[in-house]
């Protein structure tokens, strides 16, 4: 996305898409971010660095991931890997993707939603794994985020 293909082509450099090559790494990072947000790990580390141990303060707001619902928008390579990891944490996953079939949703163990809004309604967290293009531009905004 950040390469000048005409320039590289003139210089004899071939560029190829390696779809899914980093899907596992991105999914793992996604789960790390979910844990961080739930447990406020960065805030805890900063407090510790300042010499303050505030276990009860940070424990109050943590709901944990187990039993929580995760909305996944985009069920390609990365979205699929996120779903697998969310299940390992005991999360209830609902998903929307333009190409997600009911059969594939059943195979992945997710509730297939007809629209992004249906997926997000009441979810504890939202994980977005969609290409940014004309079809997805503006898909996520106040209207969708207020439904969490």
């Amino acid at each position: 996305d950040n390469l000048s293909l005409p320039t590289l082509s003139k210089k004899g450099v071939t560029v190829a898409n390696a779809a899914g090559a980093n899907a596992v790494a991105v999914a793992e990072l996604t789960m790390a971010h979910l844990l961080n947000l739930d447990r406020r790990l960065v805030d805890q580390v900063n407090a510790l660095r300042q010499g303050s141990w505030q276990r009860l303060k940070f424990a109050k707001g943590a709901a944990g991931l187990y039993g929580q619902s995760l909305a996944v928008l985009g069920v390609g390579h990365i979205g699929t890997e996120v779903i697998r990891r969310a299940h390992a944490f005991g999360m209830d996953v609902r998903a929307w993707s333009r190409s997600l079939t009911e059969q594939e949703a059943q195979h992945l163990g997710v509730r297939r939603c007809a629209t992004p809004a249906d997926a997000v309604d009441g979810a504890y967290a939202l994980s977005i794994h969609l290409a940014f293009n004309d079809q997805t531009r503006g898909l996520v905004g106040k209207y969708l985020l207020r439904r969490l």
Side-chain angles (χ1 to χ4, degrees):
D1 295 340
N2 300 318
L3 303 173
S4 171
L5 296 180
T7 301
L8 291 170
S9 181
K10 285 179 189 175
K11 294 183 179 200
V13 176
T14 302
V15 177
N17 181 13
N22 66 346
V24 169
V26 173
E28 289 173 351
L29 185 59
T30 298
M31 298 310 295
H33 284 305
L34 285 172
L35 287 167
N36 176 45
L37 290 170
D38 180 67
R39 302 294 176 157
R40 296 180 55 199
L41 298 175
V42 171
D43 294 335
Q44 288 188 53
V45 168
N46 288 335
L48 280 172
R49 286 182 176 153
Q50 294 173 7
S52 174
W53 172 245
Q54 302 173 28
R55 183 183 63 83
L56 294 178
K57 174 185 174 184
F58 293 114
K60 283 181 186 174
L65 299 185
Y66 183 84
Q68 300 295 342
S69 59
L70 175 65
V72 176
L73 303 184
V75 186
H77 296 288
I78 296 169
T80 297
E81 293 297 334
V82 169
I83 289 166
R84 289 182 179 140
R85 281 148 186 80
H87 283 308
F89 277 91
M91 298 187 83
D92 172 49
V93 184
R94 46 183 89 167
W96 173 85
S97 195
R98 291 175 304 178
S99 60
L100 182 64
T101 66
E102 188 60 45
Q103 182 180 6
E104 184 181 6
Q106 287 177 3
H107 175 73
L108 291 170
V110 301
R111 187 180 89 198
R112 180 181 172 267
C113 297
T115 67
D118 290 341
V120 171
D121 265 342
Y124 178 73
L126 169 62
S127 189
I128 305 165
H129 304 282
L130 298 167
F132 184 66
N133 55 40
D134 290 338
Q135 288 78 35
T136 60
R137 186 182 318 276
L139 180 70
V140 178
K142 289 180 188 177
Y143 168 77
L144 199 65
L145 296 175
R146 286 186 181 141
R147 299 177 81 109
L148 286 168

